């Protein structure tokens, strides 16, 4: 007896199925922090370069800062389901504020100015994330 035409074919495990099963996240959510980390690292390296030549230090700064942001973002996505909405919003705000403060500090701004910019933008992200979580959850 043949199957109906609308029946889906049996799915084969893809190349990332083991990774997604271990992390408990779909491929799109794993790719998002990786792509953000790549752009963040490139941006940090280009800000630090200040229009001069590309050096090994610029490349190392870009690779390390991009990897750190990607790892922290992936870690936050992995544990976000276990956090209450207030703490989850604070975590996303902290990650965003620290990341933007670091980029602002690379432009040559003072530590105080970069800290204030990171705190203001992180507070805005925390408020926006809390609003989204509060209006879309029970």
């Amino acid at each position: 007896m043949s199957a109906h035409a609308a029946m889906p074919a049996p799915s084969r495990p893809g190349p990332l199925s083991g990774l997604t099963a271990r992390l408990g996240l779909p491929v799109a959510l794993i790719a998002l922090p990786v792509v953000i980390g790549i752009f963040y690292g490139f941006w940090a390296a280009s800000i630090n370069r200040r229009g001069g030549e590309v050096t090994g230090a610029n490349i190392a700064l870009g690779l390390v800062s991009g990897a750190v942001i990607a790892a922290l973002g992936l870690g936050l996505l992995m544990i976000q389901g276990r956090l209450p909405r207030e703490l989850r919003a604070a975590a996303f705000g902290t990650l965003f504020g620290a990341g933007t403060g670091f980029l602002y500090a690379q432009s040559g701004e003072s530590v105080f100015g970069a800290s204030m910019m990171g705190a203001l933008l992180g507070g805005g992200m925390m408020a926006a994330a809390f609003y989204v979580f509060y209006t879309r959850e029970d």
Side-chain angles (χ1 to χ4, degrees), residues 11-99:
S11 63
R12 293 183 183 165
L16 296 177
S17 63
L19 178 66
T20 58
R22 275 184 273 138
L23 295 179
L25 296 172
V27 175
L29 276 182
I30 294 171
L32 184 66
V34 172
V35 170
I36 289 173
I38 290 169
F39 282 112
Y40 186 88
F42 179 74
W43 194 0
S46 65
I47 289 173
N48 187 267
R49 186 171 60 102
R50 291 187 176 87
E53 290 186 23
V54 176
T55 62
N58 293 336
I59 294 171
L61 175 76
L63 289 174
V64 170
S65 61
V68 166
I69 285 293
L72 290 174
L74 186 60
L76 183 57
L77 287 176
M78 288 174 55
I79 66 165
Q80 76 171 342
R82 295 182 290 230
L83 298 175
R85 67 175 69 112
E86 296 86 6
L87 189 57
R88 189 174 356 145
F92 277 104
T94 301
L95 181 61
F96 184 78

